[in-house]
Amino acid sequence: MPVGTLASVKGVPQDILEELGVQILLGNTYHLYLRPGVEQIRRLAGLHCFMSWPRAILTDSGGFQVFSLNDLRRITEDGVTFRSHLDGSEHFFSPESATAAQIGLGADIIMAFDECTEYPAEPERARASMELTLRWAERSKKYFEEHKHEVPWTTTHVEADALVRLGERSSPAPSDSAELNSPGRARAPVPTRAGETQALFGIVQGGMDPALRKESAERTIALDFPGYAIGGLSVGEPRTLTREIVEATLEHLPKDKPRYLMGVGTPEEIIEYAKLGIDMMDCVLPTRAARHGLLFTSQGKISIKQARYAGDENPLDPNCNCRVCRRYSRAYLRHLYASNEVLAQVLNTVHNLSFYLDTMRGVRHSIGLG
Amino acid sequence: MPVGTLASVKGVPQDILEELGVQILLGNTYHLYLRPGVEQIRRLAGLHCFMSWPRAILTDSGGFQVFSLNDLRRITEDGVTFRSHLDGSEHFFSPESATAAQIGLGADIIMAFDECTEYPAEPERARASMELTLRWAERSKKYFEEHKHEVPWTTTHVEADALVRLGERSSPAPSDSAELNSPGRARAPVPTRAGETQALFGIVQGGMDPALRKESAERTIALDFPGYAIGGLSVGEPRTLTREIVEATLEHLPKDKPRYLMGVGTPEEIIEYAKLGIDMMDCVLPTRAARHGLLFTSQGKISIKQARYAGDENPLDPNCNCRVCRRYSRAYLRHLYASNEVLAQVLNTVHNLSFYLDTMRGVRHSIGLG
């Protein structure tokens, strides 16, 4: 899942994301709650309509971002008080309010409010944190069950063909793009989904202790969610430990429900985690690295800022068929980056996303072949 | 002509420019000379190949930008010594070296090196400046005639179908786009043009004096260029004076050669100048205004940063069929701008260019109807 923090994958128009084959985007509740605000997005019929994105969206609970604020937050049983990174104003997220925010945003998949245990953590601290996450998961689910029909989908100003489009949802993704760009259409169609609700996923915590992870998984499953995430990883621990904990957690998660590993990873890592049984991942790496001129290719990483590419007429990745590699040379991309041109960010991001999505298409193909 | 200073219309990929119907782009010699350098672009077979733009390009002579440096430049009969705005390094442009740079860049249309007379200027200063521009025009042309075959087109690494494409040049512009995006193509095709050369345009100066303008026009025409530009306007004078001088100059320029008014204008102005007989214009206004959230619409200018648009579900311009107006709401564009998202610049620029190009399409249509 590419990350579209503020309802935009930085620098990339939605029709190009569709062309790339993006099936689902991640939005950050903390950021959207601050700007433009949940009520604004609710009034505009939810994130899909707001950002004109008819495909799937997942929002995180805001927990991870709030915990990342460090000095700016205070945690109690009830929830987390934090200060905005924008203006220092004080806010409060609880399992109830974070779930309410996510219902208002109206993503397809939303996440229970959890505490992301820091690394390293003492055993008693890891247990206490896990127990808190379990109590918060229960409260998140309770609030969700009582309020899930408040999702703004039902108030969507749908177009005449929206219902038709809903039936087309299983058709190959790239066809949307041409249709959206046909003249005379006022706005991108977003399916109406009267009667449907969002899917609330639970999050497994437990620090770096396999036994705690097992307990967290079993007790989260007992709460009965339609999907489960593995949280609290990629927080500074060594990669071998990440993998160990992923394996130790996965064996306790049901195979017939989506298993989502949060916040990973490199192209090599996402292949490895998929092999272990992970179904969903999100990471800022492809988009953030692109903004720093770090590009993923079939021949390894390229730092496009390097002078060695100044006269290089080759495409960025000769094995890539994305619109950047089809059209531009490394020399041009290097020039754009060195000259601080905005197009550098646009093109670099398109390529890195293409590389990641190609990687996952390859994974799905391999799974299909057994 | 949209402005693509550093071989990029800031934030907009080339295929979107093609889709918008851009027929010709302007590149700035001064900027490209500094970054990535003329020799670099020459080695990469010229601007068209470098930036993967198969349609027309015009480069300015660098004169206007160098004169804008004010404290950083010194003018003599021979040329202009100036300091780079990037690192303060000293450089020298003469009619010969500026023409050489433009031959190396390889645009379709290049400009004689002129002195842009400041406003206001005393009569003797305006005359002296005009005389200098005439001597420089002669030197520019002499250098061009002796070196025009050094244009890097002939060394272009053309693809097999480039010659075919050359024959297609008169076909409607938007068809290029789909073709460029067809899978399997390594790079955008750029036509080979063995034996062809660039077109060097002369520039009329003469300050704000109609008699000097007449003299400048007649003596520039005597040098015999394939097209003529009106320079030295939009330098701070009132708009009524600009119009007056344009009219006074136009009547002395041949109707059967392109007449290019440099550095204008607003959508209303470009219609007015076209009506007077101007064939070509360039301006940073649509792209620069877009970056500041100032958008041109059929209902007037919109400052998208204003809070009044935060909940506005309407398209930016209900009468515009561009890919931005077809897909996104004012509320979303306002959010992107307020959140400092790069996509704001991309989408705003696409819309403003679309508005300008639609304006000129309307002008051409009206001319066609008589």
Side-chain angles (χ1 to χ4, degrees):
Chain A
M1 296 182 286
V3 175
T5 295
L6 274 160
S8 164
V9 175
K10 294 188 188 306
V12 186
Q14 272 70 314
D15 59 305
I16 294 183
L17 295 173
E18 289 174 337
E19 183 191 285
L20 285 168
V22 173
Q23 299 175 325
I24 176 168
L25 283 182
L26 184 141
N28 290 119
T29 297
Y30 164 78
H31 291 88
L32 292 165
Y33 161 88
L34 293 176
R35 275 192 312 201
V38 173
E39 280 316 300
Q40 189 64 262
I41 290 178
R42 172 193 287 282
R43 274 198 296 273
L44 295 164
L47 267 177
H48 295 85
C49 276
F50 176 63
M51 65 182 289
S52 186
W53 179 251
R55 301 186 188 171
I57 301 174
L58 178 149
T59 47
D60 63 2
S61 69
F64 182 77
Q65 247 107 16
V66 165
F67 292 113
S68 306
L69 293 173
N70 289 314
D71 298 343
L72 297 171
R73 48 107 174 133
R74 196 174 64 248
I75 304 170
T76 65
E77 179 66 28
D78 201 27
V80 186
T81 304
F82 61 95
R83 289 192 180 279
S84 159
H85 71 287
L86 296 172
D87 63 4
S89 56
E90 194 169 281
H91 301 269
F92 179 71
F93 271 177
S94 66
E96 291 77 18
S97 71
T99 306
Q102 290 185 87
I103 292 173
L105 295 174
D108 304 86
I109 300 173
I110 68 176
M111 304 301 298
F113 193 66
D114 66 324
E115 184 185 46
C116 178
T117 314
E118 69 281 0
Y119 175 82
E122 294 300 311
E124 22 340 333
R125 163 67 195 141
R127 165 162 290 280
S129 174
M130 183 203 80
E131 297 280 358
L132 181 66
T133 286
L134 281 165
R135 292 191 297 275
W136 284 2
E138 197 169 356
R139 284 167 56 188
S140 297
K141 186 172 159 83
K142 181 164 184 289
Y143 185 91
F144 177 71
E145 292 300 335
E146 290 165 1
H147 297 270
K148 62 188 177 186
H149 296 293
E150 294 168 14
V151 68
W153 297 340
T154 48
T155 63
T156 300
H157 304 278
V158 289
E159 300 193 357
D161 58 348
L163 283 161
V164 177
R165 286 191 52 75
L166 182 60
E168 289 169 6
R169 273 223 144 186
S170 54
S171 68
S175 68
D176 295 21
S177 188
E179 199 178 326
L180 284 167
N181 289 328
S182 63
R185 183 188 297 287
R187 297 274 280 291
V190 174
T192 183
R193 299 191 282 184
E196 291 186 60
T197 60
Q198 300 166 285
L200 173 69
F201 281 20
I203 302 178
V204 176
Q205 291 285 350
M208 304 300 161
D209 177 353
L212 269 188
R213 285 280 171 176
K214 176 174 187 284
E215 183 177 342
S216 176
E218 287 169 351
R219 289 171 62 188
T220 306
I221 292 164
L223 294 173
D224 191 21
F225 292 98
Y228 298 94
I230 304 176
L233 294 176
S234 278
V235 289
E237 79 282 6
R239 281 299 179 222
T240 51
L241 185 53
T242 315
R243 186 194 156 102
E244 199 177 297
I245 298 302
V246 168
E247 285 189 281
T249 309
L250 267 177
E251 62 178 297
H252 305 291
L253 292 178
K255 284 200 167 67
D256 60 348
K257 293 193 174 168
R259 290 164 297 182
Y260 165 25
L261 179 56
M262 305 178 89
V264 297
T266 65
E268 297 75 22
E269 285 166 356
I270 65 176
I271 293 171
E272 195 185 350
Y273 294 131
K275 202 184 281 182
L276 294 178
I278 294 294
D279 302 299
M280 301 166 62
M281 289 166 268
D282 75 282
C283 197
V284 294
L285 187 56
T287 45
R288 182 175 291 167
R291 296 199 293 280
H292 293 97
L294 194 70
L295 301 169
F296 297 96
T297 81
S298 61
Q299 303 167 330
K301 276 182 286 188
I302 281 183
S303 175
I304 200 66
K305 68 183 77 173
Q306 291 175 4
R308 61 194 284 203
Y309 301 118
D312 191 337
E313 295 182 274
N314 292 302
L316 184 54
D317 183 348
N319 298 316
C320 177
N321 193 33
C322 82
R323 56 163 67 211
V324 178
C325 291
R326 284 205 306 268
R327 178 147 198 171
Y328 305 102
S329 65
R330 291 173 176 180
Y332 184 61
L333 295 175
R334 195 265 172 181
H335 161 67
L336 292 177
Y337 190 86
S339 302
N340 211 19
E341 283 287 316
V342 165
L343 192 57
Q345 173 172 339
V346 176
L347 298 181
N348 291 348
T349 303
V350 168
H351 169 77
N352 270 359
L353 285 179
S354 177
F355 189 81
Y356 264 69
L357 292 160
D358 276 349
T359 299
M360 288 310 292
R361 271 187 285 267
V363 164
R364 283 194 291 271
H365 185 65
S366 296
I367 291 172
L369 293 175
Chain B
M1 297 182 287
V3 176
T5 295
L6 274 159
S8 164
V9 175
K10 296 190 186 305
V12 186
Q14 272 69 315
D15 59 306
I16 295 184
L17 296 173
E18 289 175 337
E19 182 191 285
L20 285 169
V22 174
Q23 299 175 324
I24 176 167
L25 283 182
L26 185 141
N28 291 118
T29 297
Y30 164 77
H31 291 88
L32 291 165
Y33 161 87
L34 293 177
R35 274 192 313 202
V38 173
E39 279 317 300
Q40 189 65 261
I41 290 178
R42 173 193 287 282
R43 273 197 297 273
L44 295 164
L47 266 178
H48 294 86
C49 277
F50 177 63
M51 66 182 287
S52 186
W53 179 252
R55 300 187 189 172
I57 302 174
L58 179 149
T59 47
D60 63 2
S61 70
F64 182 78
Q65 247 108 16
V66 165
F67 293 114
S68 306
L69 293 173
N70 290 313
D71 299 342
L72 297 172
R73 47 110 174 131
R74 196 174 64 247
I75 305 171
T76 65
E77 178 66 30
D78 201 27
V80 185
T81 304
F82 61 95
R83 290 193 180 278
S84 159
H85 72 288
L86 296 173
D87 62 4
S89 56
E90 193 169 282
H91 302 270
F92 178 71
F93 270 178
S94 66
E96 292 76 19
S97 71
T99 305
Q102 290 184 87
I103 292 172
L105 295 174
D108 304 86
I109 300 173
I110 69 176
M111 304 302 297
F113 192 65
D114 65 326
E115 184 186 44
C116 179
T117 314
E118 67 282 2
Y119 174 83
E122 293 300 312
E124 27 330 341
R125 163 68 195 138
R127 166 160 290 279
S129 175
M130 183 203 78
E131 297 280 357
L132 182 65
T133 287
L134 281 165
R135 290 191 299 275
W136 284 2
E138 197 169 356
R139 284 167 57 190
S140 297
K141 186 171 158 86
K142 180 164 185 288
Y143 186 92
F144 177 72
E145 293 301 334
E146 290 165 1
H147 297 270
K148 61 187 179 187
H149 296 293
E150 293 167 14
V151 68
W153 297 341
T154 47
T155 63
T156 300
H157 304 278
V158 289
E159 301 194 355
D161 58 347
L163 283 163
V164 178
R165 285 192 50 75
L166 183 59
E168 290 169 6
R169 272 225 146 186
S170 54
S171 68
S175 69
D176 295 20
S177 187
E179 197 179 327
L180 284 167
N181 291 327
S182 64
R185 183 188 296 288
R187 297 276 278 291
V190 174
T192 182
R193 300 190 283 184
E196 289 187 61
T197 60
Q198 300 166 286
L200 173 69
F201 280 20
I203 303 179
V204 175
Q205 290 286 347
M208 303 300 161
D209 178 351
L212 269 188
R213 285 282 170 177
K214 176 173 186 285
E215 183 177 342
S216 176
E218 288 169 351
R219 292 171 62 188
T220 307
I221 292 164
L223 294 172
D224 191 21
F225 291 99
Y228 298 94
I230 304 176
L233 294 177
S234 279
V235 289
E237 79 283 6
R239 280 298 178 222
T240 51
L241 184 53
T242 315
R243 188 196 156 100
E244 199 177 299
I245 298 300
V246 169
E247 285 189 281
T249 310
L250 266 177
E251 61 179 299
H252 305 292
L253 292 178
K255 283 202 166 66
D256 60 346
K257 292 191 174 169
R259 291 165 295 184
Y260 164 27
L261 179 55
M262 305 178 89
V264 297
T266 65
E268 297 76 21
E269 285 166 355
I270 64 175
I271 293 171
E272 194 184 351
Y273 293 132
K275 202 184 280 181
L276 294 178
I278 293 293
D279 302 301
M280 301 167 62
M281 288 166 267
D282 77 281
C283 197
V284 294
L285 187 56
T287 44
R288 182 176 291 165
R291 297 199 293 279
H292 293 97
L294 193 70
L295 301 169
F296 297 96
T297 80
S298 61
Q299 303 168 330
K301 278 182 286 188
I302 282 182
S303 175
I304 200 64
K305 68 183 78 172
Q306 291 175 4
R308 60 193 285 203
Y309 300 117
D312 191 337
E313 295 180 275
N314 293 302
L316 184 52
D317 183 348
N319 297 317
C320 177
N321 194 32
C322 82
R323 56 164 67 211
V324 178
C325 291
R326 283 205 306 269
R327 179 148 198 170
Y328 305 102
S329 65
R330 291 173 175 180
Y332 183 61
L333 294 175
R334 194 266 172 181
H335 161 69
L336 292 178
Y337 190 86
S339 303
N340 211 18
E341 283 286 316
V342 165
L343 191 57
Q345 171 172 341
V346 176
L347 298 182
N348 291 348
T349 304
V350 168
H351 169 79
N352 271 359
L353 285 179
S354 177
F355 188 81
Y356 264 67
L357 293 160
D358 276 348
T359 299
M360 288 310 292
R361 270 187 286 267
V363 164
R364 283 194 290 272
H365 185 66
S366 297
I367 291 172
L369 293 176

